[in-house]
Amino acid sequence: MKKDKIMVFIPVYNCEKQITRVLSQINDDVLTYVDEIIVVNNLSTDNTVKVTQDYLLKHRELPCKIINNNANFNLGGSHKVAFNYALENDFDYVIVLHGDDQADIRDFLPILKKRSYKRADCVLGGRFESRSCLIGYSKKRILGNHVFNLIYSLAAGKSIRDMGSGLNMYSTNMLKSKFYIGLSDSLYFNAEMLLFSAYYNVDFKFYPITWREEDQVSNAKLFNLSYNLFVMALRYRLNKKKYIDSYCKKDIYKGKIIFDNTVGGER
């Protein structure tokens, strides 16, 4: 049976305190299934890049590259850089693992071992599944997430049980049309990915994960985030085709490889 070519994409912005913990998750068991790791840095202003380089120099077993975005593409734009890279380099799957150490890639080991990820176009980390574990997550935010899961389920006409965790796995087959280029560069990217996936009948499954909030700093303004998420869902529900057709952007999403652990260091 042909082995799938799998890439791990780690978006980072000012994650100097967490990035080594994230990279340490990628142990021998995970590396059995992963061919390459890319850390996509969105113009961090702290020591994220240096800390990442220092760690990789001590862990040559990690086939990891650091890519600097060509501009401030935000979280959504970093996804676009990574998806473009995956398509250009013939990967079969992309695992998204956020660089702030809230999720743990080892939660996906069961689906990697059994290859059960092949039963869907994408597997999305579900923080609110029955076997999930939430650490340091307030009851208020849990309730808010359940409310928006319901709103988006009604809008999309499909069961949506998590609006966007820090651990997802996508088949590159679902990305080949590059529909993602037109989506928001902001924190709303994952929500829009769900709506577009529902519109194009993408088969997505949710999988239980562990989720932590310890020393991470949220970039989301709760009221504005909630308001805009509601408006997006309402616009989609009222006229799906008009909502989908309104998204159009040029593909400017590129980055520069500044460090390559597979060839010996800086480029």
Side-chain angles (χ1 to χ4, degrees):
M1 188 178 294
K2 177 181 173 291
K3 180 181 182 294
D4 291 314
K5 188 177 180 184
I6 298 175
M7 182 187 90
V8 173
F9 150 55
I10 304 174
V12 294
Y13 174 74
N14 290 353
C15 295
E16 65 177 3
K17 294 180 180 179
Q18 298 92 14
I19 186 58
T20 57
R21 302 201 306 257
V22 174
L23 289 169
S24 69
Q25 298 174 17
I26 305 174
N27 56 20
D28 289 342
D29 286 340
V30 176
L31 286 174
T32 301
Y33 307 98
V34 169
D35 297 276
E36 188 173 321
I37 308 151
I38 62 168
V39 175
V40 177
N41 172 49
N42 191 53
L43 309 185
S44 293
T45 57
D46 65 357
N47 290 316
T48 295
V49 170
K50 184 180 185 306
V51 170
T52 305
Q53 287 179 344
D54 289 347
Y55 184 88
L56 292 175
L57 286 170
K58 296 175 182 177
H59 295 84
R60 289 294 189 186
E61 74 280 4
L62 293 178
C64 183
K65 297 174 183 176
I66 303 174
I67 298 176
N68 270 352
N69 284 345
N70 288 345
N72 182 6
F73 294 144
N74 212 315
L75 178 63
S78 291
H79 278 72
K80 299 173 191 181
V81 170
F83 290 166
N84 281 345
Y85 180 92
L87 291 172
E88 290 164 5
N89 290 276
D90 299 318
F91 285 93
D92 298 306
Y93 290 88
V94 180
I95 297 176
V96 181
L97 174 66
H98 285 195
D100 55 9
D101 192 37
Q102 290 182 297
D104 192 327
I105 194 173
R106 290 167 292 193
D107 286 342
F108 271 10
L109 275 173
I111 64 172
L112 290 170
K113 290 177 179 177
K114 296 177 181 178
R115 302 186 84 194
S116 55
Y117 57 84
K118 297 183 76 68
R119 299 173 190 164
D121 296 309
C122 55
V123 179
L124 308 176
R127 293 169 291 178
F128 312 103
E129 300 296 286
S130 60
R131 291 183 290 119
S132 294
C133 178
L134 292 173
I135 301 171
Y137 209 52
S138 71
K139 292 181 179 179
K140 180 180 178 181
R141 295 188 69 180
I142 292 172
L143 177 60
N145 273 275
H146 282 302
V147 170
F148 274 98
N149 290 345
L150 177 59
I151 290 172
Y152 270 69
S153 295
L154 293 172
K158 288 190 174 184
S159 176
I160 292 176
R161 301 198 294 273
D162 198 322
M163 294 290 296
S165 72
L167 182 61
N168 298 312
M169 185 171 185
Y170 300 95
S171 165
T172 53
N173 279 334
M174 70 168 280
L175 304 173
K176 284 182 179 177
S177 69
K178 288 197 169 184
F179 70 89
Y180 56 84
I181 292 297
L183 306 189
S184 172
D185 290 345
S186 72
L187 296 171
Y188 304 112
F189 179 83
N190 281 329
E192 290 178 352
M193 277 285 285
L194 284 170
L195 293 178
F196 271 66
S197 295
Y199 185 81
Y200 289 116
N201 291 315
V202 170
D203 184 17
F204 51 84
K205 307 292 185 186
F206 291 90
Y207 188 82
I209 63 171
T210 300
W211 181 264
R212 296 179 303 278
E213 287 209 353
E214 295 170 339
D215 58 356
Q216 298 85 357
V217 178
S218 174
N219 292 313
K221 301 294 185 182
L222 194 56
F223 177 79
N224 286 338
L225 179 66
S226 300
Y227 174 77
N228 288 325
L229 284 173
F230 178 77
V231 170
M232 284 164 48
L234 182 61
R235 284 179 55 217
Y236 179 83
R237 183 63 181 175
L238 291 175
N239 194 325
K240 295 179 182 179
K241 187 176 187 306
K242 183 178 179 180
Y243 178 89
I244 296 297
D245 290 346
S246 69
Y247 283 77
C248 182
K249 288 183 181 178
K250 292 182 179 179
D251 188 356
I252 60 171
Y253 301 95
K254 300 291 182 183
K256 179 182 179 181
I257 299 173
I258 61 169
F259 185 90
D260 187 346
N261 216 33
T262 67
V263 297
E266 293 188 38
R267 296 289 292 267

